[in-house]
Each structure stands twice: as structure tokens, then as C-alpha cells.
Amino acid sequence: MAEQIEASTKPSFMTRASQFALSKVKVGTPLYSLAYGVAGGIILSGLVYAGRSVYLMCFDHEYYKIQSRKRYYEKQLCFFKEQEETNNAHYMAALSSEYNPVATRMPFQPLDSKYRF
């Protein structure tokens, strides 16, 4: 009977393990400080993430600026391509004014019809 009383007053393994773990996580211990810092970091990073999300949804106008610049660039590109086409047409007209089909015939032979303008 005495053994049963002693066995019942002796704490179980789980009780001893939980008391040991709780003694290592009391206020002022390194593990408590580490856990407190981790929890604070998670909360702070969540707030930063939420703040950036709100900023991007409500106050970020950079996208519109970039799109406007792209549209302006496309307009410039179209204008310069038209200028290039016009200049090439003037160049070809200048070359055709100097075209001499007689210079392309063989000596003392008639002019071939594919060289006629």
C-alpha cells in the first residue's frame, strides 16, 4: 500500500516533461525572447505586406505613366517609319529619273523588252 501512495505522488513523465519545457520558456529566458521576437516579426511583416497591398491597389500610378510612355513611343515609331517610307520613295524616284535603259542593252543589239520602263 505504501508503494501505491508513493507511486501516485510521483509525477508522471509527461508532467515532468511539460514542467521542464515551461521552465525553459519563462519570461526573461532566451527561448522566451526568441519566441517573442519571432511572433513580433511575423506580425510586423504581415502589417507591411498589407500596407504595400493597399498602396498598390489605391495609390500606385506608376503603371499609368509607363503605359502612357509606351503609347507615345509607339506613335513616334509609326511616325518615323512613315518618314522612312517617304524618304525611300523619294530616293527611288530620284534613281528612276536617272535610269537609262539603253545602257543595259548589249552592244549593237536591240533593247530587251524586260528592261523597258
Side-chain angles (χ1 to χ4, degrees), residues 20-39:
F20 175 77
L22 288 174
S23 71
K24 297 298 180 192
V25 190
K26 286 184 180 177
V27 175
T29 61
L31 282 176
Y32 177 82
S33 298
L34 185 65
Y36 193 81
V38 167

Side-chain angles (χ1 to χ4, degrees), residues 4 7 17 23 29 34 45 79 96:
Q4 288 178 350
S23 71
T29 61
L34 185 65
S45 62
F79 173 75
S96 67

Side-chain angles (χ1 to χ4, degrees), residues 9-116:
T9 59
K10 186 176 179 184
S12 68
F13 174 75
M14 290 302 290
T15 306
R16 284 184 288 143
S18 64
Q19 285 176 352
F20 175 77
L22 288 174
S23 71
K24 297 298 180 192
V25 190
K26 286 184 180 177
V27 175
T29 61
L31 282 176
Y32 177 82
S33 298
L34 185 65
Y36 193 81
V38 167
I42 289 172
I43 291 170
L44 183 63
S45 62
L47 288 173
V48 168
Y49 180 76
R52 286 183 178 215
S53 298
V54 168
Y55 173 77
L56 286 176
M57 287 189 301
C58 300
F59 305 111
D60 186 27
H61 303 296
E62 191 71 22
Y63 170 78
Y64 299 113
K65 292 177 187 174
I66 291 172
Q67 289 302 107
S68 175
R69 289 179 186 145
K70 283 182 180 179
R71 284 192 301 272
Y72 183 73
Y73 171 72
E74 288 173 353
K75 287 178 183 177
Q76 275 187 325
L77 198 60
C78 287
F79 173 75
F80 284 123
K81 286 198 181 242
E82 288 175 1
Q83 290 289 101
E84 185 179 4
E85 288 175 5
T86 305
N87 288 340
N88 285 340
H90 287 300
Y91 176 72
M92 292 300 285
L95 282 180
S96 67
S97 69
E98 298 173 4
Y99 179 66
N100 184 4
V102 177
T104 59
R105 71 175 172 80
M106 294 296 288
F108 308 109
Q109 298 292 323
L111 181 65
D112 196 4
S113 64
K114 69 179 179 181
Y115 294 118
R116 292 194 187 279

